[in-house]
Structure formats: structure tokens, C-alpha cells
Amino acid sequence: MSDGNVSPPPPSMPPEINGSASMEKQFKGLLAQLEESGAIRERIKSVVMEIESAARAMHSELLLVHRSLPVPEVLEKARAQIDVLKDLYRRLSDILRECPGQYYRYHEDWRSGTQTVVSLIAYLHYLEMGSLLTHGQTEEKLGLDASDFCLDIEDYLTGLCFMSNEMPRYVVNQVTAGDYDCPRKIMKFLMDLHASFRMLNLRNDFLRRKFDSLKYDLRRVEEVYYDVKIRGLVAEDTIKDQTTESQI
């Protein structure tokens, strides 16, 4: 039986103290998340720097197509960088595998570099095959898996626009070297690429601006083609004459 002496209840913590402890606990958790994210981003940036270095090396090799060096030799040296890039994208994929579902959280870190890589590989493919490198072929060359580490479609399209920027200079140098049929071939290729882009509903402002640059590249190539044709340096054209204005 109780002796009538009731122990007083333990003192309750003031609300402001409870709130302070809860806030501190939350921010410690947020700090841990930020530090983890920062460490991942640093690892990604380290790989991206190597990707950009490999892309610069590949670009330097491709610039030699504007000179008198044998093209197959130049392309072979440029192609060697694809294996380097493939290994680097595998390393990126391994990092992203540690944080599933976070692809677009870190996407901006490699976006610009990837657009450059796409442009170079697509340019190399055109010089070798005379055709467009597809999205799927680009992923295959870089060892990308759509279910794990994909090639963003807008990055692919932007890369194609960057590729077209190389065409006018290439055409001029090829004509100077005596290849008078080159302007016709590249004009036809850019016309087809331009028409294909027009099928898209471009909502990305940057990509839409890059598409505008493609139109200007086509016009510059057309000017070279018409100049060569007027001078009688090419045989009768095998494709219908078209102007950029008819497609815009």
C-alpha cells in the first residue's frame, strides 16, 4: 500500500529546447547528405576533366583533315580516342550506379563535355561513312546502357548541331584541294539533317538556337556549291537543286 508519498513527475523539457534538438538533428543529417553529394560530384568532375581532355585530343586529330595529310591516317588516330572515351564513360556509369535515380541531379556536370564528344564522333562517322551517326550508334560507341547511363536525347541533338559547324570549313578546304563534288554531298547531307530537325518540337531554348546555327551552316555550304557549279567545275548535279529558303 502506498505510504501517501507520491514522487513528483520528471521535469519536462521546455518546448524551445526540444525544437532546438530536433533542428540540430535535421541539419546534421542534411550536412551528411551534402558532404556525400559533394564527394560524388568531385569524383564525377575528375572523370569529366579526363573526358574533356580526350575530346580535345580527338578534335586536334580531326583538324588535320583540313590539311594535306592522308585522311584515313588522320581518322584512324582520331578513332583511337573513342576507346579512351568509352572507358571514361564506364567510370562515370560506375559512380552513378552508387546513387541510383540521381542521373539528372548530376547531369549538368558532364552535359557540355558529352555534347562535344557527340559532335566529334558524329563528324568522324560522317567522314568515314558519309552518313549520320544515330543516337543508338553513339550510345554503342561510348558503351552507354539506356537502362543505366544513357545518352540524353537533347545532348545528342545538340552534338549534331555542333558537328554541322565543322562542315563549311571542311567544304572550302576540300574544294581548294580539288574535290569539287564535296559541296554537293555535304549540302545534301545537311539538307536532310535540317529537314529531320524540323520534325521536332524544340522546346529547349539552347537547342533551338543551335538549330538556327545549322541553318546558317547549310547556307554557307550552299554558297560554296553554287559558286563551284557556276564556274563549271562540277558535272550536272544528280540531285534536285534546292535552296535553304524552300525549307525554312
Side-chain angles (χ1 to χ4, degrees):
M1 179 179 293
S2 174
D3 59 4
N5 295 324
V6 179
S7 300
S12 59
M13 298 293 289
E16 60 272 17
I17 295 180
N18 280 332
S20 177
S22 175
M23 187 184 301
E24 182 179 355
K25 180 179 179 181
Q26 176 194 218
F27 274 79
K28 283 183 177 179
L30 295 176
L31 174 62
Q33 292 181 45
L34 288 174
E35 289 178 341
E36 180 182 5
S37 177
I40 291 174
R41 180 159 273 121
E42 287 302 315
R43 292 169 61 194
I44 289 174
K45 287 182 177 180
S46 176
V47 178
V48 169
M49 288 178 63
E50 294 186 60
I51 289 175
E52 292 172 346
S53 177
R56 286 193 296 271
M58 188 175 183
H59 190 205
S60 295
E61 295 294 345
L62 286 174
L63 286 175
L64 297 179
V65 301
H66 299 298
R67 301 182 183 179
S68 58
L69 296 178
V71 173
E73 177 185 339
V74 172
L75 300 186
E76 183 177 355
K77 290 182 179 180
R79 195 186 309 113
Q81 292 298 325
I82 295 180
D83 289 335
V84 176
L85 290 165
K86 187 174 183 177
D87 181 65
L88 291 171
Y89 277 98
R90 179 192 57 76
R91 288 167 55 187
L92 265 187
S93 179
D94 290 342
I95 295 173
L96 266 291
R97 197 174 292 116
E98 298 175 14
C99 45
Q102 300 295 308
Y103 178 91
Y104 283 105
R105 180 177 184 178
Y106 301 104
H107 178 222
E108 288 297 327
D109 292 332
W110 64 77
R111 181 169 212 164
S112 176
T114 296
Q115 292 169 352
T116 300
V117 166
V118 170
S119 72
L120 295 172
I121 294 178
Y123 185 39
L124 172 62
H125 180 84
Y126 177 81
L127 293 175
E128 291 181 317
M129 308 300 295
S131 60
L132 178 68
L133 182 70
T134 67
H135 180 267
Q137 288 173 327
T138 310
E139 286 191 317
E140 183 178 352
K141 285 181 179 293
L142 295 176
L144 304 181
D145 183 351
S147 63
D148 185 26
F149 189 102
C150 66
L151 172 60
D152 182 81
I153 292 176
E154 290 187 354
D155 290 347
Y156 167 73
L157 294 173
T158 302
L160 296 185
C161 293
F162 284 140
M163 173 202 66
S164 79
N165 299 158
E166 297 288 336
M167 297 301 192
R169 180 185 177 190
Y170 179 71
V171 165
V172 170
N173 284 291
Q174 287 300 105
V175 169
T176 302
D179 183 358
Y180 301 122
D181 196 39
C182 178
R184 178 189 65 81
K185 293 177 181 177
I186 291 187
M187 182 180 72
K188 176 63 166 59
F189 172 74
L190 290 182
M191 281 181 171
D192 291 343
L193 183 60
H194 176 265
S196 298
F197 260 89
R198 286 180 60 85
M199 296 170 59
L200 305 176
N201 182 16
L202 300 178
R203 299 180 181 275
N204 182 308
D205 290 339
F206 179 76
L207 179 54
R208 189 164 57 247
R209 289 196 299 271
K210 293 310 299 178
F211 170 60
D212 288 338
S213 75
L214 190 158
K215 292 188 291 186
Y216 298 133
D217 295 332
L218 173 56
R219 286 177 180 173
R220 291 168 63 192
V221 171
E222 282 181 327
E223 289 171 358
V224 176
Y225 167 71
Y226 293 136
D227 185 60
V228 169
K229 188 176 181 181
I230 289 172
R231 293 173 184 270
L233 298 175
V234 291
E236 183 63 24
D237 204 350
T238 59
I239 63 172
K240 294 181 179 180
D241 286 338
Q242 301 179 42
T243 63
T244 306
E245 288 74 18
S246 67
Q247 299 186 50
I248 297 177

